[in-house]
Amino acid sequence: MPSQPQTVLQVALPVPLPRLFDYLPPAGHQASEQDVGRRLRVPFGQRELVGIVEGCAPAQVEATGLREALGWLEPEPLLHGELRASARWLARYTHAPVGEVLATALPATLRRGEPLPDTHEWAWQLTEAGASALAGMRQGRPRRLAELLHGTIRDETALDTLLDGWRAAARSRAERGLAERIALPASQLAPDPQPGPTPNPEQAEAIETIHASAAGFVPLLLDGVTGSGKTEVYLHAIADCLARGRQALVLVPEIGLTPQLLGRFRARLGVPVHASHSGLADSERARVWAAAWRGEARVIVGTRSAVFTPLPEAGLIVIDEEHDGSYKQQDGFRYHARDFALVRAKALGVPIVLGSATPSLETLHNARSGRYVHMRLRQRAGSGRPPPVRVLDIRKRPLEAGLSAELLASVDRALAAGGQVLVFRNRRGYAPVLMCHDCGWSAACPRCSSPEQSRAMTVHAHGRRLQCHHCGHRRPAPLACPDCGGLGLQPQGIGTERLEELLLARYPDHPVLRIDRGSTRRRDALEKLFAELGERAGVLVGTQMLAKGHDLAGLTLVTVVGIDEGLFSADFRASEKLAQLLIQVAGRAGRAERAGEVVLQTHHPDHPLLETLIHGGYHAFADTELAQREAAGFPPFAHLAMLRAESRHAEPPMAFLHAARRALAAWQDQAGAGPAGPAVEINGPMPAPMARRAGQYRAQLLLSAPQRAPLHAALRALVPELHALPEARKVRWSLDVDPIDLY
Ligand code: ADP
Ligand code: ZN
Ligand code: ZN
């Protein structure tokens, strides 16, 4: 009996296999091209998965054994148009399974199969009874709420910022019929925009350049020193985009998305600003995505994963601090949000502004070679002045908890003058090492160290606890040396906790606040700490968390201690990262009326990086570094891909990577290498710089090519083979195209 002519759905599923899966349409349905991009539920082994239709094809005879999909999740495609096309491009570019990439493009709740959420904003108003009751109310929260709602409808986000604990008050009012909750479409909530400062000539020129680029895809670099008013330029460009009736997407680094920044956007733009970041509940992020999908959200400000926001009416994309490492997804499917945003901007035909005081060398190279429009803001806006940098040579100087007497004297002076001081040390914890003074034993992480390589555990809690910063392993610090039994255990070196201890003892009359991942686990903790400090003279001790984000007007002195380890790192991007960090940290000083100063203490005052950076600035550094990258054949003059593998045993990762190397070499031989030698250079396999982490042995194979095309041709051939290698079953492996570091 001939089988029924039927259509088969090709479905992308969130599984780590580089293929699509065929299903018959749900019972009673016919499938067509119209279904591409729709979500549906399918059986997969014993499980049920949510997939996305990638295509459909006429059924072959052997299709009779196919399973039937269980049902559609909504009537229309959820992933369609540009976003779907761009996500598919990203799957090809990263060589990741398309199902995993498409799943990443969806917010978590939609990935799990929940419906596209309702996007009404909830707001509150007083009922007539509530308005007349106001006059007779006692002081207190219910009255304050009633006053806020008197004659105005306020949305819940606004109430959150206006009155702590308003929800309970609102609920009790509502129960008595005095207030009511109403649903508004998001786009109706428009506070009146407040005017900003008049742009200075450099800002005005940048605003005009972006305005003139509105008609199509134009990548623009806004290269402006810290405090030069880049955010003001974004605000004008966004307002212009809104005036054209289009949506704007703004990406900021994880740490840059502060209430301060959102407040500034909300006050100035006169439309609701939707925020999307990892601190929000999944349901909230899904609401933002859905509001953008429906075209209701006009301005979306978000961190890395917001790059997947649907933009049916796109007009502008902005990437703030484009050099920031948090734009690169470092596990699972590894993508770079900035680079993907450029691809989307091109597909959408809209301008994209990359802003930074310290542009990445890739971006700078693109700007200098004319691929990006290069806009410069050379001066600080408003009243801020760039702070002078003083280098303290501390060779042979006595140090107190790592701080020199001269540095402490500048802190004394700054506090006496009523200023705020930042002490920057990029090392959290009490001390980097716990060592036995009697026998030389030091505490190593059992899960990260191997016979060949030892990894110190960091001392925390004033010496009471040990913690590994690579795998998170913790244990109490031993009281006596496990090797010799001696009592001579001593913390070696300085972390932020130890600096805090010293500064608290030295400045008992001033607030001393520590800011690092240990002290600010919760998202609002940082804001609370800043609020606690207020305008008082005081000291902030902290890690790179302090290098961006919150704008501290009272900061007059920035001191940088213990960056010397960073000067000698082997990673090819280490210098770039250190230079960016130093410029960004220094740029925190003197952002308002008060003049600022930067003091940097080092054992290597003549180090070329410091010399160039301090005397020539970031661009001089970038010139030198780009020349070195070119000579050494590193990005942006070469294209890299890193294949990583790990396992609980030492051999399987190397065995897998050797097999990968053989497969690639065989392919290259067959494909024919040019007269200049093989198009793709293979380095390794070798153990990773951190050869064991969290109990896993790690190894890597680095591929590099002067051009992108041959690298990707090789990867296209290699990746399907990798999935099929028998050695692959004994390891966890991942491919990182354009790795940002070689760890
Ligand atoms: P960036 O984003 O480059 O760090 P901001 O846009 O945050 O700079 O501006 C730094 C400070 O200067 C802010 O306090 C801002 O209000 C102020 N500012 C920006 N542009 C102007 C201007 N044209 N006139 C006066 N003040 C300005
Ligand atoms: Zn000992
Ligand atoms: Zn560890």
Side-chain angles (χ1 to χ4, degrees):
M1 193 176 83
S3 60
Q4 223 46 11
Q6 222 186 358
T7 319
V8 171
L9 294 170
Q10 295 155 337
V11 181
L13 294 176
V15 294
L17 294 170
R19 48 170 288 217
L20 300 173
F21 297 84
D22 289 349
Y23 287 91
L24 297 173
H29 289 257
Q30 279 295 321
S32 74
E33 282 297 329
Q34 310 290 318
D35 295 320
V36 169
R38 284 177 81 183
R39 289 188 301 159
L40 79 179
R41 241 178 247 290
V42 298
F44 187 79
Q46 301 300 313
R47 292 183 291 162
E48 213 181 282
L49 292 177
V50 175
I52 293 165
V53 176
E54 267 292 283
C56 56
Q60 308 293 318
V61 183
E62 57 269 33
T64 44
L66 289 181
R67 296 173 83 178
E68 218 167 62
L70 303 169
W72 297 107
L73 286 165
E74 56 258 305
E76 77 270 70
L78 207 53
L79 267 187
H80 56 77
E82 174 278 329
L83 181 55
R84 182 168 164 277
S86 294
R88 298 193 58 188
W89 177 91
L90 187 58
R92 282 195 302 280
Y93 186 80
T94 56
H95 301 270
V98 68
E100 290 197 328
V101 177
L102 295 184
T104 306
L106 293 177
T109 64
L110 299 185
R111 216 178 297 156
R112 289 195 295 264
E114 289 174 32
L116 192 67
D118 156 43
T119 39
H120 284 107
E121 274 298 329
W122 290 98
W124 288 80
Q125 65 183 9
L126 293 182
T127 58
E128 251 169 63
S132 19
L134 176 60
M137 287 175 75
R138 278 183 290 120
Q139 292 302 323
R141 201 170 279 144
R143 183 183 173 107
R144 286 220 301 288
L145 177 68
E147 284 167 357
L148 285 171
L149 297 180
H150 189 63
T152 351
I153 297 173
R154 293 198 192 258
D155 62 285
E156 298 192 336
T157 335
L159 287 171
D160 281 339
T161 64
L162 291 169
L163 183 61
D164 271 348
W166 67 268
R167 277 171 206 271
R171 232 176 292 122
S172 75
R173 298 274 94 193
E175 276 159 17
R176 293 158 60 192
L178 300 173
E180 60 193 357
R181 192 174 190 228
I182 51 174
L184 299 177
S187 46
Q188 273 189 15
L189 300 163
D192 287 335
Q194 288 164 19
T198 309
N200 63 33
E202 283 184 329
Q203 287 172 315
E205 197 183 322
I207 293 164
E208 183 44 41
T209 307
I210 304 169
H211 176 74
S213 311
F217 168 62
V218 183
L220 307 107
L221 168 61
L222 181 59
D223 179 352
V225 299
T226 53
S228 56
K230 294 184 288 298
T231 311
E232 280 302 315
V233 174
Y234 307 151
L235 287 166
H236 282 270
I238 296 164
D240 191 42
C241 163
L242 293 171
R244 286 183 282 117
R246 312 241 123 220
Q247 294 173 291
L249 172 66
V250 183
L251 296 188
V252 296
E254 185 63 47
I255 203 158
L257 189 47
T258 59
Q260 201 181 35
L261 177 102
L262 280 176
R264 195 164 158 198
F265 272 63
R266 291 193 165 123
R268 292 283 297 283
L269 291 173
V271 298
V273 172
H274 293 256
S276 176
H277 57 77
S278 61
L280 294 178
D282 286 350
S283 59
E284 193 47 41
R285 297 184 93 172
R287 264 164 55 88
V288 173
W289 195 92
W293 189 87
R294 297 191 173 111
E296 292 165 7
R298 307 309 288 177
V299 180
I300 302 97
V301 183
T303 53
R304 182 177 60 230
S305 64
V307 73
F308 294 105
T309 305
L311 297 168
E313 295 165 25
L316 175 71
I317 299 180
V318 174
I319 316 284
D320 187 26
E321 311 287 3
E322 66 83 30
H323 65 278
D324 196 274
S326 74
Y327 287 127
K328 174 83 191 231
Q329 166 82 32
Q330 292 283 35
D331 46 42
F333 136 62
R334 293 158 197 251
Y335 65 92
H336 200 300
R338 174 199 62 212
D339 298 348
F340 184 49
L342 279 153
V343 169
R344 291 199 62 194
K346 187 166 185 187
L348 290 162
V350 301
I352 175 167
V353 179
L354 311 180
S356 178
T358 53
S360 65
L361 295 185
E362 277 83 354
T363 297
L364 213 46
H365 181 61
N366 278 326
R368 288 178 178 183
S369 55
R371 281 190 288 273
Y372 297 172
V373 177
H374 197 168
M375 307 180 288
R376 304 271 315 250
L377 304 179
R378 290 162 209 270
Q379 264 148 38
R380 284 204 164 179
S383 50
R385 292 286 152 266
V389 179
R390 192 147 57 91
V391 177
L392 293 182
D393 178 359
I394 52 165
R395 280 173 294 188
K396 302 198 186 127
R397 297 291 173 84
L399 300 177
E400 199 180 338
L403 302 180
S404 65
E406 265 177 283
L407 187 142
L408 285 167
S410 4
V411 178
D412 295 347
R413 279 196 302 277
L415 290 176
Q420 294 177 342
V421 178
L422 191 164
V423 178
F424 171 76
R425 166 77 174 125
N426 212 10
R427 197 86 197 221
R428 74 201 159 81
Y430 189 77
V433 180
L434 181 68
M435 190 183 259
C436 171
H437 201 53
D438 297 337
C439 75
W441 172 89
S442 65
C445 175
R447 307 180 61 208
C448 293
S449 299
S450 62
E452 298 79 39
Q453 210 181 30
S454 170
R455 290 285 163 176
M457 290 188 84
T458 303
V459 185
H460 281 257
H462 301 275
R464 292 192 300 277
R465 194 180 73 229
L466 297 173
Q467 188 179 330
C468 174
H469 284 188
H470 302 291
C471 73
H473 180 71
R474 293 164 165 231
R475 61 178 153 120
L479 298 172
C481 173
D483 259 19
C484 72
L487 296 176
L489 292 177
Q490 282 175 6
Q492 301 282 308
I494 312 294
T496 46
E497 269 186 35
R498 195 170 193 173
L499 282 171
E500 179 190 25
E501 182 183 87
L502 167 91
L503 293 161
L504 275 169
R506 188 176 166 105
Y507 304 110
D509 302 331
H510 290 287
V512 173
L513 304 174
R514 178 165 56 86
I515 298 200
D516 55 31
R517 262 201 293 144
S519 69
T520 57
R521 231 159 251 128
R522 289 172 43 116
R523 178 162 277 270
D524 57 353
L526 201 59
E527 294 303 316
K528 288 221 172 91
L529 280 170
F530 287 131
E532 190 186 326
L533 180 62
E535 316 237 295
R536 291 181 293 165
V539 185
L540 294 164
V541 187
T543 58
Q544 58 182 344
M545 286 192 81
L546 281 172
K548 46 201 164 180
H550 204 99
D551 209 351
L552 294 157
L555 203 61
T556 57
L557 174 66
V558 168
T559 68
V560 178
V561 301
I563 47 119
D564 290 358
E565 304 97 317
L567 293 171
F568 302 99
S569 166
D571 194 69
F572 82 92
R573 221 178 281 270
S575 300
E576 178 184 353
K577 282 196 222 154
L578 182 62
Q580 289 166 343
L581 192 57
L582 287 175
I583 298 278
Q584 299 283 352
V585 173
R588 311 299 296 163
R591 283 174 74 91
E593 271 83 61
R594 293 164 155 237
E597 191 194 3
V598 179
V599 174
L600 188 157
Q601 68 165 43
T602 173
H603 288 96
H604 304 280
D606 311 322
H607 191 284
L609 186 149
L610 293 179
E611 286 253 293
T612 320
L613 202 56
I614 287 161
H615 298 118
Y618 185 75
H619 284 82
F621 159 79
D623 289 338
T624 323
E625 189 65 17
L626 278 168
Q628 285 177 11
R629 295 264 188 99
E630 184 161 23
F634 272 117
F637 303 95
H639 301 277
L640 305 181
M642 178 78 102
L643 184 61
R644 298 185 176 89
E646 61 177 40
S647 136
R648 274 193 298 122
H649 304 287
E651 298 78 33
M654 289 298 278
F656 167 75
L657 294 175
H658 273 296
R661 187 188 169 112
R662 281 192 301 275
L664 186 58
W667 179 81
Q668 296 225 86
D669 282 347
Q670 207 184 18
V680 177
E681 199 180 298
I682 317 176
N683 300 284
M686 57 204 140
M690 188 157 178
R692 189 165 172 258
R693 186 169 76 190
Q696 300 281 321
Y697 286 87
R698 310 155 78 230
Q700 58 195 34
L701 184 72
L702 180 64
L703 310 184
S704 82
Q707 268 86 38
R708 243 186 246 288
L711 178 65
H712 280 267
L715 291 174
R716 255 194 314 280
L718 179 63
V719 170
E721 286 198 48
L722 292 181
H723 283 281
L725 284 175
E727 289 88 345
R729 276 183 241 127
K730 296 194 179 133
V731 298
R732 279 196 11 212
W733 64 270
S734 66
L735 178 68
D736 189 354
V737 175
D738 305 333
I740 60 167
D741 53 42
L742 302 186
Y743 279 75

